[in-house]
Amino acid sequence: MKILSSAQLKIVDAHTIEQEQINSIDLMERASRAVADKIRSRWTVDTPMKIFAGPGNNGGDALAVARMLGESNYKVYVYLFNTLGKLSPDCQSNRQRLLDFQEVKQSMSVSRNIEFVEITSQFNPPQLEEGDVVIDGLFGTGLSRPLNGGFSSVVKYINASPATVVSIDVPSGLMCEDNTYNVMNHIIKADYTYTIQHPKLAFFFSEHEQFVGQWEVLDIGIVDPCNEETDTPYIFTERADVKTMLKTRSRFVHKGMEGHALLIAGKKGMAGAAILSARACMRGGVGKLTIRTPECNAHILQAAVPEAILDVDVDPNCFSQAMDSGDFDALAIGPGIGTSPYTVQAFVEQVSSSKCQTVIDADALNIFGNHRGWVNLLPRRSILTPHKKELFGLIGATRNSYEELERTREMAARNQIYIVIKGAYSAVVTPEGRAYFNCTGNPGMATAGSGDVLTGIILALLAQSYKPEEAVRLGVYLHGLAGDLAAEELDFEGLIASDLVEYLPKAYKALRQK
């Protein structure tokens, strides 16, 4: 699913209107109907609805929602802000439709269930109670500067209330992409955001969770012209996207056909990282796995992962000597290897001479953080899987998630590598500068060793001849899906990294199902 900019959203709206030969007010009616349906499905008619509508098209949506809820006998209180005496044409039309609806009910001697107030100067705010639902339709995707003046006061008033807040399309005050220079306490804090047709880039950034709340995309059939004007580097990966990547095994397959992976992992006291990555690689479907590890880990690895082959380093406590990767289909290096001088030297020799697809994680990323120029030694199309601290070691500290994403895209393009920004919506950033946000995963996966499991999964897929982009996108999806399946039975707090390995086969099975 494309993540479009605010400018591109106008283009697809205009294209839909042209293709379907409808008026813009009809498209607004369609969007408002979808929002009203969501509200009706969640709250009963006993719930007071207090609707705040701005002077633009987002306000027009809100007025249409008010009318539709009124038709369903909800008690609706509408506050239309028209302080400049100028409404957008569609907002003006929906204002009139709402007033006409009131008149019809009055002429039929039916009790009026909609109270309408138009604010042209002074605003006397209503009492917002705990049981109320506030519907935020003040400003939408067209906003290009921070809210100020009276509107910022309204936002603060709503945010200070105990009412549940629902935003239409985007929380008022939040810009769709870059909020670096926004005023954060002038943004609506929604509990739910019902966004139209496409998610907004700002939804995927951790610092905006407090504003967006739980968000859901409502499909209203907007037509994408699929031309250069709506090409976007930002994509939200869904199940259908990755399901097509899954390969089907031949009945006559043998282990030699499913790849031979090399995992360099573990130092003294860090055998667990090697075990988690190795077991995830085996569960990921690799044919054969060789683990390069120091002698101190040999017995525990042999017992924990009997399916793997061990290649014991000459140093008893750490990875100290690079090995020829020519006989392997894929290499992963980093989990638990440490950053001793011997390891640092062996690491740079290993990656600079790598002859196969390579995954870089954990301590290997910390080494790069201390020697940033060494990233240039990586084979093209290598995959890096940093967590936040490791990422900052590569790109430097950033002011916010938007800047973090853009710097990561620049680095990926400059070095022709893949970088996974791990988080709630892990982003796979490609050498072409695209960012694929993942839809699986949950807070229970914020646990030690989770990243080691991801490394093992991606290594397994690379060894099985998946292309790097397929391996990393599919690996991130399966990793999150295994976590989701585990959390269904174990809940978030009880989930540990080993559970991700155990549920990985179930994730494969779930993805293959219709």
Side-chain angles (χ1 to χ4, degrees):
M1 182 187 299
K2 288 184 177 181
I3 304 169
L4 300 181
S5 68
S6 54
Q8 290 173 319
L9 292 168
K10 294 179 181 178
I11 293 172
V12 296
D13 280 356
H15 183 73
T16 301
I17 290 167
E18 180 182 353
Q19 287 290 104
E20 298 189 16
Q21 297 183 343
I22 59 174
N23 296 318
S24 59
I25 189 71
D26 298 322
L27 191 60
M28 182 177 285
E29 190 79 358
R30 196 188 297 176
S32 301
R33 181 72 60 188
V35 173
D37 287 345
K38 273 292 168 186
I39 292 170
R40 283 190 289 253
S41 70
R42 185 175 289 273
W43 292 281
T44 67
V45 293
D46 298 323
T47 307
M49 298 289 166
K50 296 182 177 177
I51 299 179
F52 290 73
N57 284 348
N58 196 245
D61 289 329
L63 295 176
V65 169
R67 169 170 42 85
M68 293 168 187
L69 293 177
E71 290 170 349
S72 298
N73 294 317
Y74 283 79
K75 183 62 178 177
V76 181
Y77 304 83
V78 184
Y79 306 93
L80 171 61
F81 292 84
N82 188 14
T83 54
L84 298 178
K86 183 180 180 181
L87 304 176
S88 74
D90 288 344
C91 186
Q92 178 65 39
S93 296
N94 269 320
R95 172 186 178 277
Q96 191 58 50
R97 288 182 179 185
L98 183 61
L99 295 175
D100 290 345
F101 173 73
Q102 282 187 301
E103 287 186 13
V104 169
K105 293 202 83 173
Q106 190 172 6
S107 67
M108 297 172 62
S109 299
V110 178
S111 61
R112 293 171 59 180
N113 61 331
I114 296 180
E115 292 187 16
F116 176 79
V117 178
E118 186 166 349
I119 297 96
T120 57
S121 56
Q122 189 68 29
F123 176 50
N124 296 315
Q127 188 71 29
L128 300 179
E129 307 287 351
E130 187 173 352
D132 295 343
V133 169
V134 168
I135 299 175
D136 158 40
L138 292 172
F139 292 94
T141 59
L143 193 69
S144 59
R145 60 180 183 270
L147 295 181
N148 55 30
F151 282 114
S152 64
S153 297
V154 173
V155 166
K156 290 178 181 178
Y157 180 75
I158 293 172
N159 287 346
S161 79
T164 299
V165 180
V166 175
S167 285
I168 299 174
D169 208 15
V170 63
S172 293
L174 185 69
M175 298 174 205
C176 290
E177 295 89 40
D178 185 5
N179 285 269
T180 301
Y181 301 105
N182 206 344
V183 180
M184 294 305 173
N185 64 345
H186 292 181
I187 303 173
I188 284 286
K189 293 182 178 179
D191 296 289
Y192 303 92
T193 298
Y194 297 130
T195 196
I196 308 302
Q197 200 65 42
H198 295 275
K200 284 46 176 183
L201 184 62
F203 293 1
F204 297 92
F205 300 148
S206 60
E207 59 266 34
H208 299 157
E209 181 183 19
Q210 60 178 317
F211 307 121
V212 180
Q214 296 181 36
W215 59 270
E216 184 175 347
V217 177
L218 306 183
D219 186 350
I220 64 166
I222 291 177
V223 181
D224 183 355
C226 297
N227 59 26
E228 292 182 1
E229 291 179 313
T230 58
D231 184 35
T232 173
Y234 311 113
I235 307 292
F236 186 39
T237 297
E238 298 177 285
R239 182 177 186 272
D241 300 321
V242 293
K243 185 174 182 178
T244 58
M245 301 176 189
L246 273 180
K247 296 181 179 182
T248 302
R249 291 194 175 192
S250 164
R251 184 173 182 82
F252 295 94
V253 71
H254 56 77
K255 65 181 180 183
M257 297 169 63
E258 293 303 319
H260 189 176
L262 170 62
L263 172 65
I264 300 176
K267 67 169 186 174
K268 186 176 183 179
M270 292 295 291
I275 292 169
L276 288 167
S277 287
R279 293 185 66 234
C281 185
M282 295 304 304
R283 287 291 192 186
V286 74
K288 293 188 292 183
L289 171 64
T290 293
I291 309 171
R292 179 62 174 266
T293 197
E295 185 179 357
C296 61
N297 293 332
H299 292 300
I300 187 171
L301 277 168
Q302 199 77 73
V305 197
E307 301 88 352
I309 304 163
L310 286 192
D311 188 296
V312 179
D313 195 276
V314 294
D315 191 297
N317 297 314
C318 70
F319 169 57
S320 67
Q321 192 173 80
M323 59 186 295
D324 186 358
S325 60
D327 292 334
F328 299 94
D329 298 295
L331 160 70
I333 181 170
I337 63 171
T339 56
S340 75
Y342 296 114
T343 298
V344 170
Q345 185 59 40
F347 168 74
V348 70
E349 292 176 9
Q350 186 71 59
V351 296
S352 61
S353 63
S354 178
K355 301 180 180 66
C356 56
Q357 297 293 340
T358 304
V359 186
I360 308 292
D361 185 33
D363 286 323
L365 293 168
N366 291 325
I367 294 171
F368 274 143
N370 294 325
H371 307 274
R372 291 189 187 179
W374 289 0
V375 175
N376 297 323
L377 301 176
L378 280 173
R380 288 165 62 91
R381 305 280 159 173
S382 294
I383 298 169
L384 280 60
T385 60
H387 58 54
K388 291 288 185 181
K389 186 178 180 181
E390 293 162 349
L391 180 63
F392 292 156
L394 299 172
I395 65 172
T398 59
R399 291 169 292 181
N400 53 41
S401 297
Y402 179 80
E403 183 179 11
E404 172 188 298
L405 175 62
E406 295 309 289
R407 280 204 208 167
T408 304
R409 290 177 59 222
E410 290 170 6
M411 180 181 178
R414 182 173 59 251
N415 294 283
Q416 288 296 287
I417 56 178
Y418 294 89
I419 304 175
V420 180
I421 306 176
K422 292 186 284 196
Y425 299 98
S426 293
V428 175
V429 180
T430 74
E432 295 75 31
R434 291 191 178 274
Y436 293 94
F437 291 90
N438 187 56
C439 67
T440 59
N442 61 78
M445 296 172 68
T447 184
S450 181
D452 300 321
V453 174
L454 176 62
T455 296
I457 296 171
I458 296 173
L459 174 61
L461 294 169
L462 285 175
Q464 293 171 81
S465 299
Y466 282 85
K467 296 177 181 178
E469 185 165 312
E470 293 175 335
V472 65
R473 289 181 64 193
L474 179 57
V476 168
Y477 185 93
L478 286 167
H479 181 250
L481 182 56
D484 290 340
L485 294 172
E488 284 181 11
E489 293 188 31
L490 306 174
D491 213 346
F492 297 154
E493 288 79 7
L495 198 152
I496 60 175
S498 297
D499 298 324
L500 305 180
V501 178
E502 297 307 316
Y503 280 83
L504 182 57
K506 295 182 180 180
Y508 270 104
K509 185 176 181 180
L511 185 55
R512 291 189 190 279
Q513 289 174 342
K514 293 183 180 179

